[in-house]
Amino acid sequence: MSKDNSHIDSDSSSVLSQAPQKDSLKSFISTLATFSGDLSSLTCPSFLLSSVSLLEYSQYWGDHPKLFASISAGQTPEERLLNCTRWFISTLYGSYSSRATTAGMEKKPYNPILGEQYFAQWTGDEATGDVVLTAEQVSHHPPILGFHLENKKAGVILEGHCGQKSRFAMPAGIDVHQTGHAIVTLPNHNNETYLITLPSLNIRGIVTGRPSVELSGATYIVSSAGMISSIEYSTKGYFSGERNSFKATLKPLDGGDPFYTAQGVWSGVSNYVDLAKGDGESRLFFDSLTDKPVAPELKPKDEMGPLESHKLWSKVTHAINTKDYGTASREKSKIEDAQRVLAKARKEKGETQADALKIFVLVDEDADETGKTFQALREDLFDAVGTKALREDEKRPHWRLRK
């Protein structure tokens, strides 16, 4: 997906001013307010859809290839945790703010179908190396995507899965709890690993037709070297506070003194202090305003397979971009209806969702090396901050890239 975001409707205010769409928006909000289950199953009006699949959001992990590669460049475990935290903060702007910044509002992406695929690459220089992303929708009920990002030259591997559980929140907003996690592995440092938890999202502004996302609560990065980075988010209140603020504290898991702190605005500028130096000097941590994301390279559409996101949703995307929302709804329904037929056929054959996957495989975490690593880091996390620090689906499913 290109980063110019030209495919997003920039004239959203004029679109929403049209009477039929205003009525549709009111009806949608009324449905939200009375719906008691997970909102992912609801049908969103086409004019509130972004012309992109949620699966493509996995590309934001790779927005800053040099920062991703830099994780393994740290000379000490403390420096590597700092680099990992900086890279993670750099992913937040693309994931949760870039669309609202460029288009003036957040829109709902397409719900990926089971087995949907997304491939991307960032070609680096001789020092940095290439970054390759592979993603697949590994579950539809509940919706979960699997991702694998790797820079072989730098020796950095990211793998994980992500799902969403959403509910209506007063006044007229949506709270999204992300399930799943990511794990970074550094083969060049004795497979040093990091467990990364995912933030909660607060979507506000739905009544005005201009939704935006803020992060709340905390996320954690737990290092197998016995350290933790605790990242706390604060949202803008009615009368005070700054949007998208965060504070990160990096310290030993055993409760020792912090060795780094970082704070600022994850969609803007942040700074850090090296507490070990004791000079109190504040240094630049990350600046999303000047360190722009790098657009990934994609295959030409005519070389894509039928399950690749850009090819799969092309007719819906074209209709949305030309504001032909009736056609968008019809084409979207065709894709969804075809999936219902396939799901029924799988059920009749006694097959599971995992049987439909081509790129990822469902594994037993007790018999999988990365799964065992996850269990150990999870226990360290729970000991440090409690069991509420990590949200997983009840069956603790794990997927790995097929070898």
Side-chain angles (χ1 to χ4, degrees):
M1 184 178 69
S2 172
K3 276 294 183 178
D4 62 8
N5 286 302
S6 60
H7 59 284
I8 298 179
D9 176 16
S10 61
D11 191 21
S12 55
S13 59
S14 65
V15 171
L16 293 177
S17 66
Q18 299 175 24
Q21 288 158 17
K22 290 184 69 174
D23 291 343
S24 181
L25 177 61
K26 290 179 181 178
S27 176
F28 179 60
I29 293 172
S30 297
T31 302
L32 286 177
T34 57
F35 194 79
S36 59
D38 184 359
L39 298 179
S40 63
S41 60
L42 289 181
T43 299
C44 180
S46 293
F47 65 87
L48 285 180
L49 288 176
S50 172
S51 53
V52 63
S53 170
L54 181 61
L55 186 66
E56 296 178 53
Y57 282 25
S58 56
Q59 77 172 34
Y60 298 125
W61 291 111
D63 266 354
H64 296 275
K66 290 185 180 297
L67 292 182
F68 183 64
S70 76
I71 299 174
S72 64
Q75 298 300 305
T76 66
E78 290 82 1
E79 287 183 4
R80 291 192 289 275
L81 180 60
L82 180 70
N83 290 350
C84 188
T85 303
R86 179 187 290 108
W87 159 76
F88 175 74
I89 292 298
S90 79
T91 70
L92 300 180
Y93 173 78
S95 299
Y96 307 114
S97 183
S98 62
R99 295 168 302 279
T101 300
T102 55
M105 64 181 291
E106 179 73 31
K107 289 189 174 185
K108 184 183 182 300
Y110 312 138
N111 289 330
I113 67 170
L114 180 66
E116 184 175 331
Q117 303 164 358
Y118 184 68
F119 306 97
Q121 177 173 314
W122 294 258
T123 301
D125 54 31
E126 186 174 341
T128 304
D130 299 341
V131 178
V132 178
L133 169 69
T134 304
E136 184 176 28
Q137 189 72 12
V138 295
S139 173
H140 188 67
H141 296 293
I144 301 174
L145 64 88
F147 52 86
H148 184 103
L149 190 74
E150 183 170 1
N151 183 324
K152 290 185 177 180
K153 185 176 183 63
V156 187
I157 302 169
L158 172 78
E159 55 187 335
H161 62 270
C162 175
Q164 296 82 30
K165 293 184 177 180
S166 52
R167 64 179 182 84
F168 182 76
M170 294 296 289
I174 297 174
D175 288 344
V176 181
H177 296 305
Q178 296 195 96
T179 62
H181 63 269
I183 291 181
V184 170
T185 303
L186 306 180
N188 299 338
H189 293 283
N190 295 317
N191 284 327
E192 187 172 277
T193 53
Y194 305 84
L195 168 63
I196 303 174
T197 67
L198 307 176
S200 293
L201 318 179
N202 304 128
I203 303 174
R204 300 295 182 260
I206 295 177
V207 169
T208 62
R210 303 184 70 81
S212 63
V213 176
E214 286 201 56
L215 307 184
S216 63
T219 53
Y220 303 94
I221 304 176
V222 183
S223 166
S224 61
M227 296 171 291
I228 185 171
S229 177
S230 302
I231 306 168
E232 298 181 352
Y233 306 98
S234 59
T235 59
K236 180 176 174 57
Y238 285 107
F239 304 107
S240 63
E242 186 173 9
R243 284 179 57 88
N244 305 339
S245 298
F246 80 93
K247 181 176 182 180
T249 303
L250 287 66
K251 63 182 182 180
L253 272 168
D254 62 10
D257 294 333
F259 42 85
Y260 291 113
T261 60
Q263 61 183 338
V265 178
W266 54 259
S267 59
V269 180
S270 54
N271 296 283
Y272 78 101
V273 175
D274 185 344
L275 300 176
K277 289 187 175 181
D279 57 9
E281 182 180 348
S282 180
R283 300 170 174 84
L284 179 65
F285 188 56
F286 179 68
D287 182 356
S288 70
L289 304 178
T290 59
D291 193 348
K292 298 297 185 182
V294 179
E297 303 159 22
L298 306 180
K299 293 183 294 186
K301 190 177 296 183
D302 58 3
E303 295 179 15
M304 293 180 178
L307 289 177
E308 293 189 50
S309 297
H310 279 210
K311 190 73 166 282
L312 175 70
W313 297 99
S314 59
K315 292 182 179 179
V316 183
T317 298
H318 176 74
I320 289 176
N321 289 343
T322 57
K323 302 180 184 179
D324 184 355
Y325 299 114
T327 297
S329 295
R330 289 190 294 273
E331 292 296 335
K332 181 170 173 286
S333 294
K334 288 180 183 179
I335 295 173
E336 294 167 343
D337 290 343
Q339 288 303 299
R340 294 186 184 98
V341 172
L342 290 175
K344 182 180 179 181
R346 280 196 305 272
K347 185 176 180 179
E348 292 173 349
K349 294 178 182 177
E351 296 178 347
T352 67
Q353 292 186 109
D355 294 321
L357 304 181
K358 305 297 183 184
I359 303 171
F360 284 74
V361 60
L362 182 64
V363 300
D364 178 0
E365 72 174 28
D366 294 323
D368 177 74
E369 286 304 314
T370 308
K372 293 177 183 177
T373 299
F374 163 70
Q375 292 182 67
L377 293 175
R378 179 187 59 203
E379 292 308 310
D380 287 341
L381 174 63
F382 289 172
D383 289 342
V385 297
T387 58
K388 292 184 179 180
L390 178 67
R391 292 187 178 90
E392 290 285 347
D393 288 288
E394 291 75 8
K395 295 183 180 179
R396 297 189 302 162
H398 278 71
W399 295 266
R400 297 285 177 261
L401 197 65
R402 290 183 185 273
K403 296 181 179 179

